[in-house]
Amino acid sequence: MLLPPLPEQQRRLLSLLAGAGALRASLAPLSACGSMEEQPPPPGPERSEPGSAPPPAKKRRLQRAERLAGRPEEGERRYVPPPRKRNPGVSFGQAHFAETSYYFEGGLRKVRPYYFDFQTYCKGRWVGRSLLHVFGTEFRAQPLEYYRAAGEAGRLRLNEQPVRDLSVVLKATALRAKSVGYELNMVILCCLQNNDFLRNTVHRHEPPVTAQTIEFLEENDEVVVVDKPSSLPVHPCGRFRHNTVIFILGKEHNLKELHTVHRLDRLTSGVLMFAKSAEVSKRIDEQVRQRQLEKEYVCRVVGEFPENEVTCEEPILVVSYKVGVCRVDPKGKLCKTVFQRLSYNGKTSVVKCFPYTGRTHQIRVHLQFLGHPIINDPIYNTDAWGPAKGKGGNIDKTDEELLRSLVEVHLSKQSLGLLDIAEEDLKTLAGDQEQDAPGNCAKPLLVTPVSADSCSAEEPQDTSESDISACSQNSAPQSQVHKAKSREASSSKRQDERDPLCEECKIVRPDPSPKDLVMYLHALRYKGAEFEYCSKMPAWAQDNWEESWNL
């Protein structure tokens, strides 16, 4: 006879102590007889010595539950899993690289649309809920109508079986044992197996990035050091996967299992280090913790920056991790940045930056606070911060109002992709406005349906200059210059890459210009106890640079 289940807290505690494999092995006889004979507690080092004070009752219960869960059957050898490789770096194999290919057009590196499987295991909070409810609350990037259509098309799979009825309820399996005697009144081992495996196949589009090549500054047995172009994320995130430094290094240079020593913002260029082993990564990380790593950046800012050295130690608070926005706030984390002016051309200044801490957007936020934001910073030099643009910490907006203002500003400038907002978060921020997926620099209201006479921004053209220019930044007016044969060929290629369920395939977005993907902030030098790596001064930081930015 099975006993009623324990309270939720005890069940969770016991399930954490009992490994799933050992638990199933030790409770295998229960599936046949549903009971367990009482046995005396086995001897072990964890038992108290005679005469000593017994451990607390809670500790005794934990010890006995742990012994019960891990005890093998008589004559059965304890299973020891094979050793796993420790601390592997961020690595992708040939199967990942073969998902799609790159092509270059109009100064941009583009990725052909490809099919991708989002995979996850059932979470505990999903148990007892229907798939339709899970998709509606946990995966809001697409409307429920899309998931219904994807289910009917066989693209949703539960435990590798197609799921066409989204009303199916996710269940948990449980194993229960009868009470074991002695001082413990009742031990019920309940293993909640949240192991339903869910797979969702989608047609994926990645935003374009600059076509600038990744230059190697150093490669040896320990590290890889590159000069990262602006607009490239360091590793897969959001809508970026193949258009990342990690993927390009693995796909084009066969560099795998790299350990990220530090990161740069997607729009920040400059020195980027990777360790080739966990040992090297730990050694450099220790230098970071001991403040032995010197970092030097250069940027071009608005106005005449003071000639004397400026130190800013204002604390920084994260406004939104999802959007990636910070501001100066007394409740924020302590940080310090030292600034030195290099030149001033009458409108803008070139400034060297020495961050002594590593807060998110630290240099950019401190420059905004000082009243000299980076001239083309898409977040901290916009009117969304108010008339003062955040100078001196004057914002006069709530965090929610600030985030909504940032979305509205970039919608009007057709540069929403620079904010890196996930689509489900964009819908929340934008309210009732109709938004298309972010990740590219297009104003959704200007997006037009794909037709036989339009030129897809996702489709590579022939190698001739006329075809490339016809499908560059302003695809709608320029598509009219295509010749009939070229137009028919392009339409045929698009039909091969288009997906009937993909909303991105139904629209054409104007490409950003390469200039729009560059922010004037560059990691110039990284120096440690045993190394020093420098990159060239970017063109926009040179003394003879001609002002072309619309301030």
Side-chain angles (χ1 to χ4, degrees), residues 29-176:
L30 292 178
S31 60
C33 61
S35 64
M36 178 182 292
E37 296 296 332
E38 295 187 2
Q39 301 178 11
E46 60 275 346
R47 297 190 65 188
S48 302
E49 295 295 331
S52 63
K58 181 177 180 181
K59 185 174 182 180
R60 292 198 302 271
R61 290 197 299 270
L62 294 179
Q63 290 174 349
R64 286 167 182 166
E66 200 170 17
R67 290 197 301 269
L68 176 65
R71 184 193 310 142
E73 294 293 319
E74 184 177 355
E76 178 184 359
R77 296 186 60 183
R78 180 174 177 269
Y79 171 73
V80 179
R84 294 187 302 175
K85 186 174 183 180
R86 299 183 61 188
N87 297 322
V90 179
S91 180
F92 297 91
Q94 191 58 39
H96 305 100
F97 301 150
E99 290 170 347
T100 184
S101 59
Y102 301 113
Y103 66 97
F104 298 87
E105 181 179 76
L108 301 175
R109 175 192 287 265
K110 297 184 178 182
V111 175
R112 297 176 188 272
Y114 58 98
Y115 288 97
F116 179 78
D117 287 341
F118 283 103
Q119 305 174 12
T120 184
Y121 284 93
C122 173
K123 308 296 188 295
R125 64 179 180 273
W126 298 357
V127 174
R129 295 162 55 181
S130 69
L131 275 176
L132 190 64
H133 187 259
V134 169
F135 281 123
T137 56
E138 305 274 351
F139 303 99
R140 299 171 296 163
Q142 300 290 345
L144 289 178
E145 291 72 17
Y146 167 81
Y147 292 113
R148 290 191 180 98
E152 294 175 358
R155 298 188 184 181
L156 301 179
R157 302 178 73 86
L158 185 62
N159 299 325
E160 300 303 343
Q161 297 298 319
V163 179
R164 290 178 170 81
D165 181 10
L166 299 189
S167 63
V168 61
V169 176
L170 297 172
K171 299 178 181 179
T173 58
L175 295 173
R176 288 192 175 90

Side-chain angles (χ1 to χ4, degrees), residues 1-29:
M1 174 178 176
L2 293 179
L3 296 175
L6 283 177
E8 178 70 17
Q9 184 177 5
Q10 293 183 354
R11 286 194 287 114
R12 288 183 178 178
L13 186 59
L14 292 174
S15 64
L16 286 175
L17 292 173
L23 181 60
R24 282 194 291 270
S26 62
L27 299 182

Side-chain angles (χ1 to χ4, degrees), residues 195-216:
N195 57 356
D196 275 339
F197 182 68
L198 184 63
R199 184 193 301 270
N200 177 23
T201 302
V202 300
H203 196 236
R204 192 164 180 173
H205 295 245
E206 293 195 25
V209 298
T210 177
Q212 182 181 348
T213 59
I214 298 177
E215 296 185 8
F216 283 77

Side-chain angles (χ1 to χ4, degrees), residues 29 41 54 67 78 214 245 255 274 277 309 315 341 346 375 400 411:
R67 290 197 301 269
R78 180 174 177 269
I214 298 177
V245 176
L255 291 170
F274 297 96
S277 67
E309 182 177 278
R341 194 182 89 178
I375 66 174
E400 292 76 13
L411 279 174

Side-chain angles (χ1 to χ4, degrees), residues 132-436:
L132 190 64
H133 187 259
V134 169
F135 281 123
T137 56
E138 305 274 351
F139 303 99
R140 299 171 296 163
Q142 300 290 345
L144 289 178
E145 291 72 17
Y146 167 81
Y147 292 113
R148 290 191 180 98
E152 294 175 358
R155 298 188 184 181
L156 301 179
R157 302 178 73 86
L158 185 62
N159 299 325
E160 300 303 343
Q161 297 298 319
V163 179
R164 290 178 170 81
D165 181 10
L166 299 189
S167 63
V168 61
V169 176
L170 297 172
K171 299 178 181 179
T173 58
L175 295 173
R176 288 192 175 90
K178 188 180 177 181
S179 168
V180 291
Y182 25 103
E183 300 174 6
L184 188 59
N185 293 331
M186 179 173 56
V187 173
I188 299 178
L189 297 177
C190 179
C191 179
L192 184 64
Q193 299 181 12
N194 307 322
N195 57 356
D196 275 339
F197 182 68
L198 184 63
R199 184 193 301 270
N200 177 23
T201 302
V202 300
H203 196 236
R204 192 164 180 173
H205 295 245
E206 293 195 25
V209 298
T210 177
Q212 182 181 348
T213 59
I214 298 177
E215 296 185 8
F216 283 77
L217 302 177
E218 176 70 26
E219 183 184 359
N220 52 43
D221 294 337
E222 293 191 338
V223 298
V224 175
V225 187
V226 300
D227 190 349
K228 184 186 91 68
S230 183
S231 80
L232 266 180
V234 175
H235 50 71
C237 58
R239 299 189 69 202
F240 294 91
R241 179 172 169 83
H242 289 262
N243 266 345
T244 59
V245 176
I246 284 287
F247 244 83
I248 295 172
L249 291 180
K251 192 169 182 175
E252 298 183 354
H253 302 279
N254 198 33
L255 291 170
K256 304 175 182 178
E257 296 190 7
L258 297 177
H259 298 256
T260 304
V261 175
H262 67 101
R263 291 177 173 84
L264 296 176
D265 294 339
R266 181 168 70 90
L267 295 179
T268 302
S269 59
V271 179
L272 180 64
M273 293 180 59
F274 297 96
K276 287 189 173 182
S277 67
E279 291 73 18
V280 175
S281 178
K282 291 178 181 178
R283 189 171 72 237
I284 299 178
D285 189 57
E286 182 63 26
Q287 296 182 32
V288 174
R289 287 196 296 268
Q290 297 297 328
R291 303 290 175 87
Q292 297 176 351
L293 186 63
E294 299 178 13
K295 298 176 287 184
E296 181 179 328
Y297 290 72
V298 64
C299 61
R300 184 172 285 275
V301 302
V302 173
E304 184 178 2
F305 199 84
E307 287 186 306
N308 298 328
E309 182 177 278
V310 176
T311 299
C312 185
E313 297 182 283
E314 297 295 330
I316 292 179
L317 179 71
V318 177
V319 175
S320 171
Y321 287 100
K322 292 182 177 180
V323 182
V325 177
C326 305
R327 60 178 172 84
V328 166
D329 190 279
K331 300 187 295 291
K333 295 182 178 180
L334 298 178
C335 47
K336 176 182 177 180
T337 315
V338 175
F339 301 97
Q340 295 177 355
R341 194 182 89 178
L342 297 181
S343 64
Y344 173 60
N345 65 2
K347 292 184 179 180
T348 61
S349 303
V350 176
V351 179
K352 272 193 176 181
C353 318
F354 302 89
Y356 287 84
T357 50
R359 309 303 179 197
T360 301
H361 295 178
Q362 176 176 320
I363 294 175
R364 299 162 66 183
V365 174
H366 275 174
L367 286 170
Q368 180 197 47
F369 180 85
L370 296 173
H372 299 280
I374 297 172
I375 66 174
N376 55 351
D377 192 321
I379 295 180
Y380 301 103
N381 187 23
T382 70
D383 295 331
W385 298 84
K389 292 188 176 182
K391 180 179 180 180
N394 297 322
I395 302 174
D396 297 330
K397 290 184 179 181
T398 65
D399 290 347
E400 292 76 13
E401 292 172 342
L402 173 61
L403 295 176
R404 193 177 296 274
S405 297
L406 281 170
V407 171
E408 293 173 354
V409 166
H410 284 279
L411 279 174
S412 64
K413 293 182 178 180
Q414 305 184 31
S415 57
L416 191 59
L418 298 180
L419 293 181
D420 294 333
I421 311 176
E423 185 172 355
E424 56 267 31
D425 301 321
L426 172 64
K427 293 177 180 178
T428 302
L429 291 171
D432 297 330
Q433 300 181 34
E434 272 191 27
Q435 309 298 344
D436 290 299

